[in-house]
Amino acid sequence: MTPAVPGERFTIAVVGAGPRGTSFLERLLAVVEEAGGSAPVPVVDIVVLDPEEPGPGHVWRTGQSELFLMNTPSFFPTVAAAGTPGLRPSSVALTFDQWRMAHPDRAQVLDRTDYPPRATYGRYLAETYREVTDALAASAAVGTLEWRQTEVVHLEPARTVTPAILTLGDGSTLAADAVVLAVGHVPARLTSEQHRLAAAAAELGLEYRGPSIPCDLDWDAVPAGADVLVRGMGLNFFDALAQLTLGRGGRFVNTGQGPGRALRYEPSGAEPVLHPASRRGVCYLPKAELDSFVPHAVALKYLVPEVVEALQAEHGPLDFMMHLWPLIHRDVVRAYYNALVHNRPEILGGSGPATEFLAALVGLLESAGRGEPVTAHQAKDLLHAYAPGMPFLDIRTLARPFEGRVYDSGEDYQREVAGFLEGISAEAAAGEDSPLMVAIGALHAARLLVKQLVAEQRLTDASRRRDVSGWFETLVEGLASGPPLTRVEQLLAVARAGLVRFVGPDPQFEPDAGRSRFTVSSPQVGGADEAQDVHRGTWMMEAMMPPNRVLLSTSGLVSSLLAEGTAVPYTVEDEEGDPIPGRGFDVTERPHRLKGAAGAVQEGVFVLGLQLASVQWGTAIAAEAGRDPDGRARTLGDADAAARAVWTLATD
């Protein structure tokens, strides 16, 4: 690519105008404002390409149901570097919480700890986009700035003396000197298992809904009274629950009975009956009622940067299970028992014995070798001496609470799940006063550091695939990434009303051709009466987003990039050295230029967001306001690096 000469035109194409594209533009505005008039300024043309409204994009569209909630409280998210350490904010930068306080009329009645509707966050994104682009358009550095409401279906990368050529949905083309790929969620083909069920539905006249973005589904199509089999009990499941209860005219009434039984559901009569199932047999646990993202009581003591540095100096790239998990587990155990001693000392025989126990436990933790698991017999024996019969905390078991248990009937299992969730709801309501929620908070704090280590490529590829993606990601999501407590209270209320019937762990979904039904059952739930353990329905829903894997994408742009070798998936090796394609594109280190076949780097093509899933973890999570752009606000750090690299291309 020939660098732009001052005074010439330089075209930047931003493909995708959702949160990541908007963050890039805010960072570009900050760079332009920082440059001021001190350096020669080329005329920059900016073209934003997205078929959806710029700012909200697809997922955060402003017209969607107000029943769909964000999974983070108001104080958490931002697309602009307002108060982000080390990043110069643009002149219009506001976090969502700042925008909420400045515009209460547009943010409804939200407190900083409330979980906003996604449509409200979409309004923040739309206004941020407008203010950023207005400021860019008013700059002397920018010649034109336009949004084209179209999809990009093909990208021919820049050659030595020619710009990149983007083919648009209407067949027209656009020449660009720099391209920022911020495409976000893209459609994906069904897995073989999903395709089998979809084909059976077509043959038998059943209704099957594959993985979808919740605001894309026609919820009115689900008939009242229908039995709906649901695979997945994560965040999309709670969207379905809200839409098929509150969205059908039902209402929740406060009972005054306390956590776990705080609500009663009054049906409208228009609801279907939901039969949810997941591998763990239970929904994601509710988040603790806190005024911070991580409990104030949590301070990691063992998984800390200086220890990680020492381990890496000794071993090179780290193995998660060998080097990091023992430290994480130790921090979780310490956090749990420290909170137990301070908040519930009577469990350990009173304040005196409890203090003695904690001192002895910390002594064991301090003296143990780095790789020694905390679940050693001496720690269990120590606990037994102070609280006979109390099990030692096993955070991994908590994620699958019904592991190895068998239930005689579906009714037995229904009562077991309800009792478990009622207890967890009481813990979540206790917030900082709950030892369990503090322990989960410690696990979450460790996850934030592990995310940074993954992005810095400090773990071996094999360990990241086997351990982080293999089980740790699922563990943390199930325990620490759940819905707000009110959603679990609603689930319990609907279950008590007879409109939710839990299936059980490790569900098996099948089409029943003889009865023209879908069926689902759990190998752990069964009895003499077949009706108690086999759930049947003419509807089945996959309560999950389309998978974020570039090789499964049906996006014309992503598919063509891979087919032509302009992009390749990041490849890792398993323990035997066999290559395994990862979830996202292969890219350079920041500013994440796209890499193609044979490692060729596309110098003017930058990747932001979900398609970085092979080199980052948790790419769908927003930047945390006021946090480190190399850590908890990494998406802003990525956007800033891309903006500076694009500006360098334009001005050098």
Side-chain angles (χ1 to χ4, degrees):
M1 179 183 297
T2 303
V5 176
E8 290 186 350
R9 316 291 287 205
F10 185 94
T11 299
I12 304 169
V14 182
V15 183
R20 302 298 179 265
T22 300
S23 286
F24 169 79
L25 292 168
E26 191 272 333
R27 292 291 75 221
L28 183 63
L29 173 61
V31 172
V32 169
E33 292 175 336
E34 183 180 325
S38 60
V41 177
V43 177
V44 173
D45 297 318
I46 303 172
V47 184
V48 179
L49 301 136
D50 198 314
E52 303 285 348
E53 179 187 2
H58 190 172
V59 172
W60 306 100
R61 62 181 67 164
T62 56
Q64 66 185 291
S65 169
E66 298 285 333
L67 297 175
F68 296 137
L69 301 182
M70 293 188 71
N71 197 40
T72 53
S74 297
F75 65 75
F76 177 88
T78 186
V79 290
T84 304
L87 296 185
R88 181 188 190 277
S90 71
S91 58
V92 299
L94 289 176
T95 69
F96 176 75
D97 206 33
Q98 291 170 336
W99 176 85
R100 171 191 67 83
M101 290 185 287
H103 304 288
D105 57 323
R106 297 197 284 280
Q108 302 173 331
V109 183
L110 286 172
D111 187 67
R112 69 182 301 274
T113 57
D114 289 334
Y115 289 74
R118 288 177 206 153
T120 301
Y121 191 65
R123 289 191 282 275
Y124 157 72
L125 295 171
E127 291 195 18
T128 300
Y129 174 86
R130 284 196 295 272
E131 293 190 4
V132 166
T133 52
D134 285 350
L136 278 169
S139 168
V142 176
T144 61
L145 193 157
E146 63 173 317
W147 163 49
R148 296 190 189 178
Q149 191 173 10
T150 186
E151 184 178 2
V152 177
V153 297
H154 185 267
L155 168 62
E156 178 71 26
R159 305 303 177 191
T160 304
V161 295
T162 59
I165 302 297
L166 289 78
T167 303
L168 310 183
D170 61 2
S172 64
T173 59
L174 169 71
D177 300 292
V179 179
V180 178
L181 297 178
V183 298
H185 289 280
V186 292
R189 69 175 184 270
L190 299 178
T191 66
S192 57
E193 161 72 1
Q194 293 163 352
H195 186 270
R196 178 178 70 90
L197 293 168
E203 180 182 349
L204 300 174
L206 306 177
E207 297 289 343
Y208 174 83
R209 298 294 184 270
S212 302
I213 296 172
C215 61
D216 286 346
L217 289 172
D218 179 8
W219 296 98
D220 291 338
V222 181
D227 287 295
V228 181
L229 312 187
V230 184
R231 173 154 46 194
M233 296 179 71
L235 303 177
N236 280 37
F237 165 68
F238 287 100
D239 290 335
L241 179 75
Q243 201 64 40
L244 296 172
T245 54
L246 291 169
R248 293 294 177 92
R251 70 189 194 107
F252 293 95
V253 179
N254 290 325
T255 66
Q257 294 185 33
R261 289 186 169 268
L263 299 176
R264 181 180 75 255
Y265 183 64
E266 296 183 351
S268 68
E271 301 88 348
V273 179
L274 302 181
H275 301 255
S278 68
R279 284 176 294 180
R280 69 183 76 214
V282 70
C283 63
Y284 280 18
L285 302 193
K287 287 189 174 73
E289 300 276 271
L290 301 169
D291 64 356
S292 60
F293 196 50
V294 174
H296 297 294
V298 170
L300 298 180
K301 182 177 177 63
Y302 302 104
L303 184 73
V304 292
E306 54 267 30
V307 172
V308 173
E309 294 288 349
L311 285 167
Q312 191 163 19
E314 182 179 353
H315 300 286
L318 300 174
D319 181 283
F320 178 86
M321 192 65 181
M322 182 182 300
H323 301 129
L324 301 183
W325 176 246
L327 301 174
I328 295 171
H329 199 189
R330 200 166 305 171
D331 272 317
V332 169
V333 167
R334 176 179 173 274
Y336 177 78
Y337 288 105
N338 185 65
L340 190 70
V341 165
H342 287 92
N343 298 327
R344 302 174 187 175
E346 67 279 0
I347 295 176
L348 294 162
S351 58
T355 301
E356 293 174 7
F357 164 79
L358 184 60
L361 177 64
V362 170
L364 283 175
L365 299 179
E366 296 287 349
S367 62
R370 285 178 181 161
E372 184 177 341
V374 186
T375 53
H377 285 301
Q378 62 265 34
K380 292 183 179 180
D381 292 343
L382 174 65
L383 177 65
H384 182 73
Y386 287 85
M390 182 180 178
F392 191 71
L393 175 69
D394 185 346
I395 199 72
R396 291 185 69 176
T397 297
L398 180 64
R400 291 189 63 110
F402 312 122
E403 184 82 24
R405 303 177 65 178
V406 176
Y407 299 89
D408 290 336
S409 71
E411 292 303 317
D412 288 344
Y413 186 71
Q414 188 87 352
R415 285 190 293 271
E416 185 78 2
V417 174
F420 173 77
L421 289 178
E422 286 175 14
I424 290 294
S425 295
E427 297 287 348
E432 295 266 0
D433 292 332
S434 164
L436 183 60
M437 291 294 121
V438 171
I440 291 173
L443 183 71
H444 181 49
R447 169 217 212 164
L448 297 174
L449 181 55
V450 172
K451 282 179 63 177
Q452 184 171 341
L453 297 177
V454 166
E456 294 170 355
Q457 299 185 18
R458 298 172 73 175
L459 276 67
T460 67
D461 283 344
S463 177
R464 186 195 164 186
R465 182 190 62 82
R466 181 190 64 238
D467 300 318
V468 177
S469 298
W471 62 268
F472 184 65
E473 183 175 355
T474 303
L475 172 71
V476 181
E477 286 180 351
L479 297 183
S481 295
L485 175 57
T486 184
R487 286 301 202 209
V488 175
E489 292 280 10
Q490 290 171 353
L491 171 62
L492 285 164
V494 176
R496 287 191 291 269
L499 296 172
V500 166
R501 297 171 187 168
F502 302 109
V503 173
D506 298 316
Q508 300 167 347
F509 288 85
E510 294 292 340
D512 183 346
R515 303 188 188 188
S516 293
R517 294 287 189 272
F518 286 117
T519 68
V520 61
S521 60
S522 166
Q524 293 177 227
V525 181
D529 183 357
E530 187 183 57
Q532 290 180 316
D533 54 71
V534 177
H535 301 244
R536 296 183 176 85
T538 57
W539 276 74
M540 179 181 170
M541 301 179 68
E542 305 280 5
M544 60 192 73
M545 297 287 275
N548 178 33
R549 303 186 70 92
V550 293
L551 285 178
L552 292 178
S553 174
T554 58
S555 155
L557 174 61
V558 173
S559 299
S560 64
L561 286 171
L562 293 171
E564 296 173 9
T566 305
V568 294
Y570 181 87
T571 301
V572 301
E573 291 185 354
D574 64 13
E575 290 85 346
E576 298 178 355
D578 293 327
I580 300 175
R583 298 176 182 175
F585 287 140
D586 195 4
V587 294
T588 67
E589 295 183 358
R590 273 184 179 169
H592 299 315
R593 289 179 166 91
L594 185 66
K595 294 173 71 173
V601 176
Q602 315 296 346
E603 294 293 339
V605 182
F606 304 86
V607 181
L608 295 176
L610 268 66
Q611 285 69 45
L612 295 176
S614 284
V615 296
Q616 294 184 11
W617 173 27
T619 52
I621 300 174
E624 184 176 355
R627 294 295 181 171
D628 178 8
D630 294 327
R632 290 158 68 166
R634 179 166 289 273
T635 60
L636 288 179
D638 290 344
D640 187 76
R644 292 183 182 279
V646 168
W647 188 249
T648 298
L649 286 175
T651 56
D652 278 0

